[in-house]
């Protein structure tokens, strides 16, 4: 279970990097369904756009979990 918690930040990092390159090229990634999101944090005055894919997040987290799980304690 701890391996899954360790894998989530790695899944986020992999998703952001891959979606950045594919999404900025104008592609939706087909099966990955990469979409442009507007992030608006009004309480601190920050607004930006980012690309995200929930399918890519699940795949990246699963891959990171498998690697961390196989490494053992």
């Amino acid at each position: 279970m701890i391996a899954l918690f360790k894998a989530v930040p790695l899944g986020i990092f992999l998703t952001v990097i891959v979606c950045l390159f594919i999404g900025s090229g104008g592609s939706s990634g087909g099966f990955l369904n990469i979409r442009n999101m507007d992030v608006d944090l009004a309480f601190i005055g920050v607004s930006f756009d980012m690309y995200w894919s929930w399918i890519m997040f699940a795949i990246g987290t699963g891959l990171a979990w498998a690697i961390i799980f196989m490494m053992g304690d």
Side-chain angles (χ1 to χ4, degrees), residues 5 25 31 42 51:
F5 290 124
F31 174 72
Y51 294 97

Side-chain angles (χ1 to χ4, degrees), residues 25-41:
S27 177
S28 67
F31 174 72
L32 296 177
N33 195 20
I34 297 171
R35 297 291 174 216
N36 189 8
M37 292 180 13
D38 296 325
V39 179
D40 187 20
L41 304 172

Side-chain angles (χ1 to χ4, degrees), residues 1-9 61 64-66 68-69 73:
M1 189 65 173
I2 296 299
L4 181 61
F5 290 124
K6 290 179 182 179
V8 169
T61 302
W65 173 79
I68 292 171
F69 185 74
D73 294 328

Side-chain angles (χ1 to χ4, degrees), residues 21-73:
F21 286 109
I22 294 174
S24 65
S27 177
S28 67
F31 174 72
L32 296 177
N33 195 20
I34 297 171
R35 297 291 174 216
N36 189 8
M37 292 180 13
D38 296 325
V39 179
D40 187 20
L41 304 172
F43 59 92
I44 58 173
V46 176
S47 178
F48 58 93
D49 294 337
M50 68 177 282
Y51 294 97
W52 187 257
S53 168
W54 285 108
I55 297 170
M56 184 69 204
F57 172 70
I59 292 169
T61 302
L63 179 64
W65 173 79
I67 292 171
I68 292 171
F69 185 74
M70 285 189 289
M71 288 173 53
D73 294 328

